[in-house]
Amino acid sequence: MIDRLGALCCLERGDWNRAERHLKRYWEVNQWDAFIMLAYARVAIKKSDFLLAAALYGDCMEHGHLSFCDMADYGLALFHAKRLEESLDVFRRLASSCDPHPLVFNNIGMTLASIGQYPEAVKYCRRALELDPAFRFAWDSLGFAYLKAGQYGDAIPALLKAVELEPNYPDAWRHLLHAYQQNGDTDHLEGAKAYVRSVLPDELDRFEREKLMEIHD
């Protein structure tokens, strides 16, 4: 019981490492406690342990209904674990069970772009933006869909809108670098690289690694 209370306190404070220690100890006593599975899944998603998060959310689904946020995180965990078809199924189920929501439409679009269904991806991203024109994630996903489809001229303004809404948006800047490079826009590429080098050096390194590979996210 002390570990259960300790886990709750750490979750409230956002102390994911201590929360995980409490949860592990409590889990040894009762591995089928729905509270523990759900709390541990939330900690795993915060710590980017997506394989564990996906497994735990899957177990939670067998024991009851997940909230909107937990269902969305389950889909994201599957997405980052490269289980894209399963991720898409979760997002579609979420879309069918709630009112139209920009996050859900964006996540469907993002996943469709990653599996190569570009026109459908664009459609869902635009549905998200119809609901919330300032939703930066949907602008990035729209730009990513165009980038994957080879429509670099369409990708660039969408990605520029994403970084206008969030100037230090890592994924959007990396996608924009790829769009500039593929579009042959050398001047803008160098200017963007200089900015990213100063504020998001890890994203510049990732861009350099990805140049000879397929971009997955």
Side-chain angles (χ1 to χ4, degrees), residues 26-153:
Y26 191 82
W27 203 18
E28 290 175 358
V29 177
N30 186 355
Q31 294 187 7
W32 301 110
D33 187 312
F35 161 80
I36 291 298
M37 287 192 292
L38 188 56
Y40 204 171
R42 291 170 178 168
V43 169
I45 201 86
K46 293 293 186 181
K47 297 187 69 175
S48 299
D49 190 344
F50 299 116
L51 286 172
L52 176 59
L56 289 167
Y57 277 126
D59 287 341
C60 291
M61 283 282 288
E62 295 181 5
H63 289 79
H65 176 72
L66 292 181
S67 70
F68 175 92
C69 290
D70 287 321
M71 195 75 165
D73 280 345
Y74 180 27
L76 283 176
L78 290 166
F79 177 87
H80 288 297
K82 309 303 181 187
R83 294 162 58 182
L84 300 181
E85 295 290 348
E86 295 171 82
S87 173
L88 184 59
D89 179 63
V90 169
F91 291 139
R92 289 194 186 280
R93 288 168 63 185
L94 187 56
S96 68
S97 65
C98 68
D99 293 333
H101 196 289
L103 176 66
V104 179
F105 288 152
N106 171 72
N107 289 354
I108 293 173
M110 171 187 69
T111 309
L112 287 167
S114 293
I115 61 178
Q117 298 183 29
Y118 309 125
E120 193 75 359
V122 167
K123 182 181 77 173
Y124 273 98
C125 293
R126 291 207 173 277
R127 288 179 70 183
L129 290 168
E130 287 171 5
L131 293 172
D132 184 358
F135 192 44
R136 63 192 185 280
F137 299 116
W139 284 110
D140 176 53
S141 296
L142 178 62
F144 176 67
Y146 281 133
L147 175 64
K148 293 281 286 181
Q151 297 175 238
Y152 310 120

